[in-house]
Amino acid sequence: MSRGFGIQAVFSFLLLVDVLLVYGLIEQKEIYGKYNHQRENDVDNSYGKDVVGSFPFLMPLVSPKTPDLYLCTPIKVDPTTTYYIVGYNPNATMNTAHHMLLYGCGEPGTPKSTWNCGEMAQNSQEEQASPCGPHSHSQILYAWARDAPRLGLPPGVGFKVGKDSPTKYLVLQVHYAHVQKFQDGTTDDSGVFIEYTEKPLKKLAGTLLLGTGGSIPPMAIEHMETACEINEKKVLHPFAYRVHTHGLGKVVSGYRVRSNDRGVQEWTQLGKRDPLTPQMFYNVTNDEPIESGDHVAVRCTMKSNRHRVTEVGPTNEHEMCNFYLMYYVDHGETLDMKYCFSQGAPTYYWSNPDTGLHNIPHIEASTL
């Protein structure tokens, strides 16, 4: 199992989820007062007394039996109060969980306590549904992989959930790549301790996920690329980024692209990393604002030593190219655009004439 914190009490609490008597953060604080107290030293004290506490959002002692299974579990946020999430403390190890995502949803994908929520088509006889309902609000609030440590947001910045937010539910998704350890009935409580405050925060956090579809040819180096124009009248202040690939990824880089007074696009790096290092959120390379009319562009450099084509998909036999950009806005709401995906190679490249991109820099893939 992953690191446990009072498993019997955790299980008793999560029985509430099983019967859909899920409580918001206030009720959980009361039920979980002992655990909030135990975790006080883990909460970023820059928020001082404004931090209500942290509560555990964990898998309800599941025992996955299907390799590369994506499991989701929901919790309803108290609809009478607005909360601001200011930090995430993971309760997981890469020996158990390949990666975890925390979604903010208008409603969950199903009314069940757990369900198969693989986002891409899989050959499975299990009933499947997306993390969020098909027509509901959906955004990614947090992502974790490869033993990444705790993430604290900058002072005064938080993800708004609950009463005055379209996020009415939180949904935890855990990808179990390998399930041998569960064959004897062993259970898992991977998840995250969510740190939050009720103090209103003006700097609202958002996450933009950029990624691709596509495929990688055998025995070749391929560039998986995507880009989107920011066309909303908002000023984004980027502060953190995270990259994610599977085994073929060598380097992932993200850029702000802005036209200067001469109409020439200037590419400013937001972040660049080897995706096989801990897949945590890192400080951006450059925190200059991103404004309407700018593009955000991402490249994943893949190197295949396989004698077959590798498609983008959910399992270890597939690949992924993802770049998560965390930002905040000083006033108003965050971007309506939550996702930016392209078809990927061999169909989509930055150099295609219809992308609106030019002056593309030569990007060294120093880890190849």
Side-chain angles (χ1 to χ4, degrees), residues 198-209:
E198 294 178 39
K199 177 185 177 181
L201 301 178
K202 292 183 179 180
K203 296 179 179 179
L204 300 185
T207 301
L208 177 62
L209 169 58

Side-chain angles (χ1 to χ4, degrees), residues 32 101 163:
Y32 255 110
L101 294 177
K163 180 181 178 181

Side-chain angles (χ1 to χ4, degrees), residues 204-246:
L204 300 185
T207 301
L208 177 62
L209 169 58
L210 299 100
T212 79
S215 61
I216 303 161
M219 308 300 292
I221 294 174
E222 181 62 279
H223 291 145
M224 316 293 285
E225 298 173 338
T226 188
C228 286
E229 182 177 2
I230 304 300
N231 54 22
E232 301 175 39
K233 298 296 183 180
K234 299 172 182 177
V235 178
L236 315 181
H237 298 271
F239 62 88
Y241 75 99
R242 173 185 178 269
V243 304
H244 177 72
T245 71
H246 295 172

